[in-house]
Amino acid sequence: MSRLTGRTAVITGAGRGIGKAIAERFAAEGAKVAIISRTEANSNATAEAINTAHPGAAKGYAVDVSDSAATAALGKQVLADFGSVDILVNNAGVTRDGLALRMSDEDWDVVLDTNLKGAFNLVKAFQRSILKSKTGRILNVASVIGLIGNAGQCNYAASKAGLIGFSKSLAREFAGRAVTVNAIAPGFIVTDMTNELNDQQKEGVLKQIPLGTFGDAVDIANTAAFLASDEARYITGQVIAVDGGMVM
């Protein structure tokens, strides 16, 4: 696998779960990867694991993506370390679930600031380098919840629906420089969140999935690797649902 050889990718929320799986796959495809997480412990752990298999491929960084100034400073550091960035994967995300009638301003703001504003901050930090790249790619990890909504997640659904609109608008703006921008909408993927569901809850979710099983982070990583490669050069402004048929 060498579809991304010679390219540098920045991946947020890469300390664990889907982001980590994407980073590992990109490194296996030959890319250099900047691992972004809220904590140094998580980002460095992912970078070390990748470097064990692919020496010198990864470096870890810690930042709160909702912080515009901190993200801008991070961008300068990553560019100083790697020289350029070709691929950006906005994967960082949080949840603060609750019914709209009881949702606090803080719970709304934290989710929108991280999931949506965070993606905007990262694009601002790296857009010049990506626009100069002959293989520029931006991938935004949304969610099927952004397509269909979900009771108790109006903040999360709004952030992911916003991320889809953001992706489509950027795709139009950046197309003139041959930069593609797409969104991936995962369904129920085996993560820390799904592990917290009890058997009855899992059974209820599985009834909504035609393929009858949860997805794996590798399923998202496979899709991301394809969209970041030359094979997907003519795909932009799209939302790719990776959900076992949950949303059709």
Side-chain angles (χ1 to χ4, degrees), residues 97-118:
D97 295 349
L99 296 176
L101 287 172
R102 300 190 183 96
M103 185 169 291
S104 66
D105 288 352
E106 180 186 3
D107 285 346
W108 176 271
D109 290 342
V110 166
V111 172
L112 270 292
D113 285 350
T114 300
N115 299 4
L116 185 54
K117 183 185 176 184

Side-chain angles (χ1 to χ4, degrees), residues 160 180 230:
K160 295 302 186 177
T180 67
D230 291 340

Side-chain angles (χ1 to χ4, degrees), residues 13 23 26 35 43 53 58 65 101 152 199 206 208-209 230 237 239:
F26 279 19
I35 308 299
S43 61
V65 298
L101 287 172
D199 290 341
L206 288 173
Q208 304 175 50
I209 304 173
D230 291 340
V239 183

Side-chain angles (χ1 to χ4, degrees), residues 20-220:
K20 181 179 180 181
I22 293 173
E24 291 172 339
R25 180 58 187 274
F26 279 19
E29 293 278 3
K32 301 290 186 181
V33 288
I35 308 299
I36 312 299
S37 179
R38 186 183 290 269
T39 67
E40 287 186 5
N42 284 348
S43 61
N44 288 339
T46 296
E48 288 172 10
I50 289 173
N51 286 330
T52 298
H54 310 283
K59 183 174 177 60
Y61 303 85
V63 74
D64 178 352
V65 298
S66 69
D67 186 326
S68 301
T71 303
L74 169 84
K76 293 178 181 178
Q77 185 61 56
V78 171
L79 289 169
D81 291 341
F82 287 92
S84 63
V85 168
D86 307 284
I87 303 163
L88 170 62
V89 180
N90 285 308
N91 171 69
V94 298
T95 58
R96 290 284 186 90
D97 295 349
L99 296 176
L101 287 172
R102 300 190 183 96
M103 185 169 291
S104 66
D105 288 352
E106 180 186 3
D107 285 346
W108 176 271
D109 290 342
V110 166
V111 172
L112 270 292
D113 285 350
T114 300
N115 299 4
L116 185 54
K117 183 185 176 184
F120 173 65
N121 288 339
L122 266 294
V123 168
K124 285 201 299 180
F126 295 108
Q127 62 185 350
R128 292 186 183 277
S129 182
I130 292 171
L131 286 169
K132 290 178 182 178
S133 173
K134 294 181 180 179
T135 55
R137 302 283 187 270
I138 297 175
L139 305 178
N140 295 318
V141 180
S143 169
V144 293
I145 302 304
L147 295 171
I148 62 175
N150 194 35
Q153 288 192 304
C154 65
N155 49 0
Y156 184 76
S159 71
K160 295 302 186 177
L163 198 55
I164 289 169
F166 178 58
S167 302
K168 289 179 176 290
S169 297
L170 273 187
R172 292 184 180 275
E173 291 187 19
F174 289 178
R177 300 295 290 272
V179 173
T180 67
V181 185
N182 291 290
I184 301 173
F188 279 86
I189 307 299
V190 176
T191 62
D192 293 342
M193 180 183 72
T194 54
N195 288 335
E196 293 177 359
L197 300 176
N198 60 42
D199 290 341
Q200 185 176 2
Q201 290 172 320
K202 289 180 180 179
E203 184 178 346
V205 171
L206 288 173
K207 288 180 179 178
Q208 304 175 50
I209 304 173
L211 287 182
T213 185
F214 291 123
D216 188 88
V218 172
D219 296 315
I220 310 303

